Amino acid sequence: MSDPSMLAVLQDLLAQPRERSTIEFKSNWDQADDIGEYLSALANAAALERHDRAWMIWGVDDVTRQVTGTSFDPFNQKVKTDKGNSNQSLVMWLQFLTLPRADFQFHEVLHPEGRVVLLEIHPARSAPVAFKHVRYIRIDSHKVKLTEHPDKEARLWAQLGLKDD
């Protein structure tokens, strides 16, 4: 399942001097709700900053940028639904709870220092992406609610060529 072309992408991301609004590093963190919030924030930040992608990377220490490997497995992770079922795949669960539906893909990289998972996130296109009806944005390396930053929200809506109805 490893995607060899992603090794070069990983090396470029590791070369960045620090996390920023479109790059987030994690180790083994696998909280589905938080991943959904980051998906929203990163998609919206990528659109606002006119980046062609945003990235969330597991298996890398966010301070040292050293590859540590991860046990996080988005391809087999199941999530409890609101009805208490725990049989929905993480990918489908994230799709159902983002509006408009986020455009993203998980990749696995077998790095010499350990397994790394990259979440490739395309920028919001038709409207800011919300997760569970809340829109998020990244400011520097912090995830916040977009409504708490009306200037950024207005710029994002204007950039997408839409009005917030």
Side-chain angles (χ1 to χ4, degrees):
M1 202 185 301
S2 181
D3 185 345
S5 68
M6 286 289 117
L7 187 55
V9 171
L10 175 60
Q11 296 297 13
D12 288 344
L13 294 169
L14 291 173
Q16 298 299 314
R18 61 183 178 83
E19 284 186 340
R20 58 183 185 198
S21 63
T22 56
I23 301 173
E24 174 69 25
F25 294 101
K26 295 291 182 193
S27 292
N28 283 313
W29 173 83
D30 66 354
Q31 299 300 309
D33 280 324
D34 288 335
I35 294 169
E37 291 175 7
Y38 272 104
L39 180 59
S40 166
L42 289 161
N44 294 332
L48 187 62
E49 295 187 18
R50 300 179 192 267
H51 289 188
D52 65 343
R53 300 284 188 280
W55 298 92
M56 192 163 178
I57 303 103
W58 286 263
V60 174
D61 183 278
D62 68 342
V63 175
T64 66
R65 295 292 176 282
Q66 296 297 310
V67 173
T68 57
T70 186
S71 60
F72 173 61
D73 184 359
F75 308 104
N76 292 306
Q77 183 169 337
K78 302 294 183 191
V79 181
K80 283 187 179 183
T81 64
D82 290 338
K83 296 177 183 171
N85 301 333
S86 59
N87 59 353
Q88 190 167 37
S89 75
L90 175 64
V91 171
M92 286 308 298
W93 185 81
L94 290 168
Q95 280 294 309
F96 285 128
L97 292 174
T98 55
L99 249 163
R101 303 291 182 232
D103 187 0
F104 65 91
Q105 182 176 4
F106 284 98
H107 304 275
E108 181 179 54
V109 174
L110 299 179
H111 187 276
E113 301 299 319
R115 183 177 156 278
V116 176
V117 173
L118 290 90
L119 174 55
E120 177 183 11
I121 305 165
H122 293 262
R125 291 186 191 109
S126 59
V129 173
F131 173 72
K132 291 188 172 181
H133 307 289
V134 178
R135 297 179 187 117
Y136 295 89
I137 190 79
R138 291 268 291 186
I139 297 178
D140 192 33
S141 64
H142 304 281
K143 170 183 54 98
V144 296
K145 290 180 180 175
L146 184 57
T147 56
E148 295 173 357
H149 299 273
D151 58 327
K152 290 189 184 307
E153 186 173 26
R155 264 194 313 126
L156 181 55
W157 278 108
Q159 197 158 307
L160 295 170
L162 304 167
K163 286 183 163 179
D164 185 6
D165 294 328

